[in-house]
Amino acid sequence: MTATTIVYMGHCNLKQIAESGQCFRWKQLDEEGNKYKIIAGSRLLIIEQNAHGYFGLSCTPREFDDIWTDYFDYSGADYSQILAKAEAKGGLLKDAAAAGEGIRILRQDPWEMLITFLTAQNISIQRATTLIEKLCNKYGQKKHSGDTTFMAFPSPDSLATAKPEDLRQLGFGYRDKQIITAARIVASGAVDLDKLKRLDHDTAKLVLKNIYGVGDKVAECISLFGLGKYESYPIDTWVQKIEDYFGHGYIQKEFPDHAGIVQQYLFAYVRRHGLPERGGA
DNA sequence: GCCCAGGAATGTA
DNA sequence: TACATTCATGGG
């Protein structure tokens, strides 16, 4: 990689983030899961995790400061504090913190999150990754970074003019209309996703759910990964079991400002260890 | 062939 | 409010 910049990033584990289900355009480049090609919007970053929290990056120090520190969420939450609080609770929360240590909430483009989680509904993460790659190849713009060529995430304009039958042909199934109508709403300016960042969570969620195909879970994912709202709490089929275990609303009550981060730890736990033995908290 | 995959919209009671 | 059904498709 060219222009190697070495930086320290605490509480960051690339493999953990890559497997956390929030990013669909990370490609593992080595055997161990220490090196990835990341495409975010229309940017590319090669990143490699070395020992003791040091990382090699394919960008200049200035690009790291201007773009990637924000992407990796180094201007927001104090992860060590949240981890410590979860550990102190003991039981499953302690185990979840251990299972999820190193996960960070990536601050991604809300437009990209909208289309990504519309795509990912009711299919496996692996299949969603394949579909999104096809979408970028067909509707994205070709970009260059050094000697590497890559496809940027498609613009709203580009997807707004896509044909339903073409999306079907790619394998999107019934999501074709959802994606095209969402693209048209954003391309027309009827919904300004970036402005949602300045609204409170509940209001932003109402706007999102008003988009055809966006239900509770997808809205929470967009809010968490695209709007940077840590209080968002996506409840999927796995986390639903966790809710049954703790009692409904327990996590959000105990971590009102950071439920989404804890949700990521719990998700990491159930995917690795399966569901906990019995209920009660 | 059957079942599931980090769901959402619609209909029914 | 709480369930049930439908929607497409690929992979195990």
Side-chain angles (χ1 to χ4, degrees), chain A residues 50-70:
Chain A
N50 302 315
H52 309 300
Y54 285 91
F55 294 75
L57 311 171
S58 68
C59 66
T60 65
R62 167 139 195 188
E63 286 168 335
F64 175 71
D65 290 341
D66 289 349
I67 294 152
W68 299 107
T69 54
D70 185 64

Side-chain angles (χ1 to χ4, degrees), chain A residues 105 134 154 174 200-201 214 268 277:
Chain A
I105 304 294
K134 288 183 183 176
Y174 62 88
D200 64 275
H201 171 66
V214 178
E277 290 302 328

